[in-house]
Amino acid sequence: MNPDLDRLQPYPFERLRRLLAGNAPPPGLTPINLSIGEPKHPTPRLILEALTAAAPSLSNYPATQGTDALREAIAAWLVRRYALPAVDPATQVLPVAGSREALFAFAQAVVDRSRPARVVMPNPFYQIYEGAALLAGAEPLLLPCTPENGFRMDFERLDAAAWASVQLVYVCTPGNPHGRVMPLAEWRELFALADRYGFVIASDECYSEIYFDEAAPPLGGLQAAAALGRQGFERLVVFGSLSKRSNAPGLRSGFVAGDPSILRRFLLYRTYHGAALGPPVQAASVAAWRDEAHVVDNRRLYAAKFRQATPIVQRALRTAMPEAAFYLWARTPIDDTEYARRLHAACAVTVLPGSFLSRSRDGFDPGAGFVRIALVAAEAEVIEAAQRIAEFGRSL
Ligand SMILES: Cc1ncc(COP(=O)(O)O)c(C=O)c1O
C-alpha cells in the first residue's frame, strides 16, 4: 500500500468520537451537536424539484466537464456575485463533486514531485489540505492564525528559501474556524509572491455566502484578482460549493474557477479521477446557482442565531462575532479537549476542540485552548445550547 497513507492523521470527528466515548449522557437533557460544520436548515424545494425532475437523465453518463448549462449558471453567478467583467464558462469554470474532493484532487494535479515540493496552508485548518499535500508527495508548511495576528496568514514568516520550494498555497476565506475574510491588501501580497515564486493559489471559499451584512458580502479571490488588474485570474483557482450556500451538503456539488491553463490540466486529471457529477445533480445545481432568494433567507436564519447566541456564550467564553461563516471560535478557560469532554458529560452539548483542527509546530499549537461551536442546529436548539454553555461556565 501507499506508505504515505500512514502519514494521514485521524479525522477530527473520529478523534471527537473517541474523546466522548466514555461519557454517559446526562439524564433529562436532549443532546445538541454543534461540532460538525454540516448545515441543518432544510434543502430548498426548488433544488429537490429540479433533482427529481431530472431523474430520467440517470440513463446517461455525465461528462467530467459538466453540462454547458451548469458551467454557464456558475459563470453567471460568479459575474453577478463578484461584479466581474466576465467569466468564460468554457475555460474558466469546472463543476466538482463538492469542494472537498476538489481541494484534495487539486494538489494531486498541481504538485510536481520531481522537485522539492511544499504546500502552504493555515493552522488551524480544514484537514483535507494537509492530506492532499501529503498524498501528493509534498511537505505541508503551516502558518499559525491566532487572535494575536488577527487570524491572518503571516506570509512574511517564510523566507525566500522556503518560498522557492512552495508549489501551492491554500487559503480559506472566509476562514474555518474563525470566519476571517482575507482583505485586498493581503491578496496583493499573495499574488506578488505567487508571481515571484511561481506557485498556484487554491482559495477555499465554500463559506462565501454565509455572512451577516447584506450590504457587505465577503471579498472573493476572483474579485480581488480583477480589482488588482490581473489578467485571466493567473495562478489562481477558487473553490465554491452549494453545501453551505444552499443547504445541500448531500448533493455533493461545487465548482472550481480561475486560471484556464491550470483548469485545462485539472480537467485532464479529473477525467481519470472520475469525479463527474450525476446528471440530476447537475440539473439541481443549475437551479440552485440561478436562485438567490433562498440564499438570502438562509443568511437571515444564521444572523438571527448569531445575534442571540453570541452574547450568551460570551458570558462564559471569550469569543466574538465572526466576519462570516457559521462558527464561533471561542477561548476555553481550561484545556480544550477537557472542556469539550466535560461540557458534553455535564450538558449534552457537543463542540469541537480547537486542537483537533490544528497542528503543534515549534511547541505552539494555535488551536489549543479554543473550541469551535457550529451554529448549525435550529434556532431554539442553538440558544438552549448557548445557555447550557453559559451555565457550565459557572461550574468551572
Ligand atoms: C473549509 C472547508 N472547506 C471545504 C469544505 C467542504 O465542503 P463541501 O465538500 O461540502 O463543498 C468544508 C466543509 O465543512 C470546509 O469547512
Side-chain angles (χ1 to χ4, degrees), residues 35 41 81 90 109 114 131 134 144 167 180 198 213 254 281 287 293 310 341:
S35 67
H41 306 158
R81 167 64 173 83
S114 71
L134 291 171
Q167 297 189 19
R180 178 181 189 258
D213 179 356
V281 171
T310 309
R341 197 189 60 71

Side-chain angles (χ1 to χ4, degrees), residues 98-100 103 126 129 172 176 204 206-207 241 243-244 252:
S99 55
R100 174 184 178 138
L103 287 161
Y126 182 51
Y129 314 148
C172 185
N176 172 3
D204 179 355
C206 74
Y207 292 97
S241 174
S243 298
K244 330 281 180 189
R252 309 314 300 132

Side-chain angles (χ1 to χ4, degrees), residues 16-40:
L16 185 63
R17 199 186 54 75
R18 272 187 251 150
L19 176 74
L20 305 181
N23 280 352
L29 284 179
T30 316
I32 304 175
N33 187 351
L34 303 182
S35 67
I36 186 164
E38 181 185 57
K40 294 271 190 272

